[in-house]
Amino acid sequence: MITVKEIYSKKELKQFVKFPFKLYKDSKYWVPPIIKQELETFNKDKNPIFKDAEARYFLAYKGNEIVGRIAAIINWLEVNNQNQKKMRFGWFDFIDDLDVSKALFEQVERIGKENNLDYTEGPVGFSNLDKVGVITEGFDRIAPMITWYNYPYYVKHYEAYGYNIEKSYAENHFPFENVKPEFFKKAQDLIKRRYNLRALKFTKTSEVMEYADKMFDLFNLSYSSLSSFVEITDIQKEYFKKKFISFINPEYIKFVVDKDDELVGFAIVMPSFSKALQKANGKLLPFGFRHILHAKKNNKDIIFYLIGVHPKYQNKGVHAVIFNEYYETFKELGMETCYRTPELEDNEAIHRIWKHFFPVVYRRRKTFRKPL
């Protein structure tokens, strides 16, 4: 007998966050979140997404044992401003029991119908900077901290309950030795002269913060044409600056500006924290900080998190300027492997950007959709 309970209390939310720790305790590839940070994501007083979105959380029980979880999400900016009548769901984990996943799906669909929404889609988060997709290929590689991991059996649960593939994503990697400066060295000099551009180098987080709002504005502008895009609001910018920018090595953030000091291109790269987070096992204290700081300073694997160029400068080679900056930085640091976060497989523009580095797809993931 499966029962589903909507949860509200801090104690129950902590059980919600900690359920995957039990589910994946024997997995070599799952990367645990920091429990405190995950709880803050669901805290309406701390996460400004709740100004424009709402979420309800459910745990599934078999007897007294927690066997599944799901977050049912409505982003009202998406529904009202973009006329996307979507019922989102994420943080969806469950044992290999079709009755469990069915019971959780039913909660999401019920809420969607109550709000006159047209369809459900998931797994997705609150916004474009959240995790996305269920893995369909590539289960035998450690997950980056900015993605979800799942067992292979998840896919059959979506299919069994009438869900069809909505979007397809690929994750790529390539050895740093594939980065040949001859592909962009001369070009970037020409591009900077032709358009009067210059690259900014940062050594302090405070220097990055001066341009952070402009970066999020450019993110909104450069990503607006992609499916499922939801604009980042001003209040969210402040939240993400504290959550992400202050955490990233300043030299891993590259901006390109024009003669008026206006931002025309940006990229954010992070060291891989996956193994450090596995060692931390959800806790910063007493030793989690040590593992994370060590990875921040010494990791030889890097993850390209975001890259964007102003529409006016797209297809004009601004990426060559960005790549040249990273090449100089990472050659000196002795980087070994470059990873890219999930990218839509039909995003031809992003594929053209990376083609000279001969990337290899090592994982695929999907979101699934069902009409209501």
Side-chain angles (χ1 to χ4, degrees):
M1 176 77 175
I2 306 300
T3 58
V4 175
K5 178 182 177 182
E6 186 168 2
I7 62 169
Y8 304 95
S9 71
K10 290 182 180 179
K11 178 182 177 181
E12 290 169 327
L13 271 173
K14 193 167 185 179
Q15 291 175 325
F16 182 93
V17 168
K18 293 184 72 173
F19 169 65
F21 285 76
K22 178 182 177 183
L23 185 67
Y24 293 103
K25 69 182 190 311
D26 296 323
S27 172
K28 296 184 294 184
Y29 309 115
W30 179 69
V31 174
I34 297 299
I35 294 170
K36 181 177 182 290
Q37 292 178 353
E38 194 85 330
L39 287 169
E40 289 179 354
T41 298
F42 303 130
N43 188 326
K44 295 179 181 179
D45 296 324
K46 294 190 176 182
N47 189 344
I49 192 68
F50 289 106
K51 300 287 184 183
D52 300 295
E54 62 182 79
R56 295 165 67 176
Y57 314 105
F58 299 88
L59 287 173
Y61 294 81
K62 183 180 284 187
N64 294 321
E65 182 182 3
I66 297 173
V67 291
R69 69 169 188 172
I70 198 166
I73 302 163
I74 303 176
N75 187 314
W76 290 111
L77 287 178
E78 181 175 52
V79 173
N80 295 326
N81 295 6
Q82 299 179 304
N83 200 32
Q84 291 288 324
K85 307 295 186 183
K86 179 197 297 185
M87 182 72 222
R88 292 172 167 244
F89 63 89
W91 288 272
F92 187 27
D93 292 290
F94 44 86
I95 65 171
D96 192 8
D97 184 328
L98 290 172
D99 290 333
V100 173
S101 56
K102 178 176 182 290
L104 292 168
F105 273 131
E106 287 174 345
Q107 296 298 324
V108 172
E109 294 176 16
R110 174 180 60 81
I111 295 170
K113 291 174 182 177
E114 290 173 355
N115 286 276
N116 298 311
L117 301 178
D118 294 337
Y119 65 98
T120 63
E121 184 185 353
V124 294
F126 294 100
S127 74
N128 301 81
L129 293 181
D130 284 323
K131 300 175 182 180
V132 65
V134 61
I135 297 172
T136 56
E137 299 175 32
F139 301 96
D140 59 346
R141 298 291 295 268
I142 191 169
M145 63 175 282
I146 49 181
T147 62
W148 282 309
Y149 182 78
N150 59 268
Y151 289 126
Y153 66 74
Y154 274 42
V155 176
K156 75 178 181 184
H157 287 249
Y158 286 85
E159 295 171 344
Y161 203 55
Y163 277 75
N164 295 308
I165 293 170
E166 173 67 0
K167 299 181 185 70
S168 299
Y169 298 83
E171 294 171 56
N172 299 266
H173 70 113
F174 54 90
F176 183 69
E177 63 186 22
N178 280 13
V179 181
K180 306 298 183 186
E182 57 264 29
F183 286 121
F184 48 78
K185 194 75 176 176
K186 291 182 180 178
Q188 65 98 28
D189 284 331
L190 176 63
I191 290 156
K192 284 193 287 190
R193 289 197 302 270
R194 178 180 295 171
Y195 301 111
N196 205 356
L197 304 178
R198 61 190 176 91
L200 302 180
K201 301 178 188 294
F202 300 114
T203 57
K204 299 177 181 178
T205 299
S206 59
E207 297 169 340
V208 179
M209 289 299 186
E210 294 180 24
Y211 290 86
D213 284 343
K214 291 182 179 180
M215 185 202 71
F216 285 116
D217 289 339
L218 183 53
F219 171 83
N220 283 337
L221 191 62
S222 59
Y223 281 75
S224 60
S225 62
L226 295 180
S227 55
S228 325
F229 178 79
V230 181
E231 185 174 283
I232 297 172
T233 64
D234 288 342
I235 193 170
Q236 287 174 289
K237 292 175 190 175
E238 295 302 316
Y239 175 74
F240 287 127
K241 280 193 287 187
K242 292 177 183 177
K243 185 176 181 180
F244 292 118
I245 303 300
S246 60
F247 189 68
I248 299 170
N249 310 43
E251 65 270 26
Y252 288 11
I253 298 175
K254 306 296 183 183
F255 290 168
V256 179
V257 297
D258 65 12
K259 61 182 175 59
D260 299 316
D261 208 35
E262 291 300 318
L263 193 63
V264 302
F266 75 92
I268 295 178
V269 170
M270 296 191 296
S272 174
F273 290 104
S274 296
K275 292 180 180 178
L277 287 169
Q278 285 182 330
K279 293 175 182 177
N281 196 33
K283 298 177 182 179
L284 290 175
L285 299 174
F287 303 116
F289 268 123
R290 184 187 301 173
H291 298 307
I292 291 169
L293 288 174
H294 183 269
K296 186 176 182 179
K297 295 178 180 178
N298 301 287
N299 202 295
K300 300 303 181 185
D301 294 339
I302 49 174
I303 299 173
F304 280 83
Y305 182 43
L306 286 176
I307 187 167
V309 172
H310 194 290
K312 187 170 68 173
Y313 286 90
Q314 288 174 5
N315 301 316
K316 292 183 177 178
V318 175
H319 293 98
V321 180
I322 294 171
F323 288 147
N324 183 69
E325 293 299 312
Y326 277 124
Y327 179 77
E328 297 298 331
T329 298
F330 294 149
K331 180 179 69 170
E332 184 177 327
L333 293 173
M335 290 302 172
E336 296 175 357
T337 309
C338 303
Y339 292 86
R340 286 154 51 197
T341 53
E343 296 164 344
L344 285 164
E345 290 196 347
D346 61 2
N347 186 350
E348 294 298 329
I350 201 72
H351 300 325
R352 289 194 295 271
I353 289 171
W354 297 101
K355 66 179 181 179
H356 293 304
F357 304 148
F358 306 105
V360 174
V361 175
Y362 71 96
R363 182 179 288 126
R364 299 183 192 275
R365 59 179 69 235
K366 318 284 185 187
T367 62
F368 286 80
R369 169 176 171 154
K370 184 179 179 182
L372 291 172

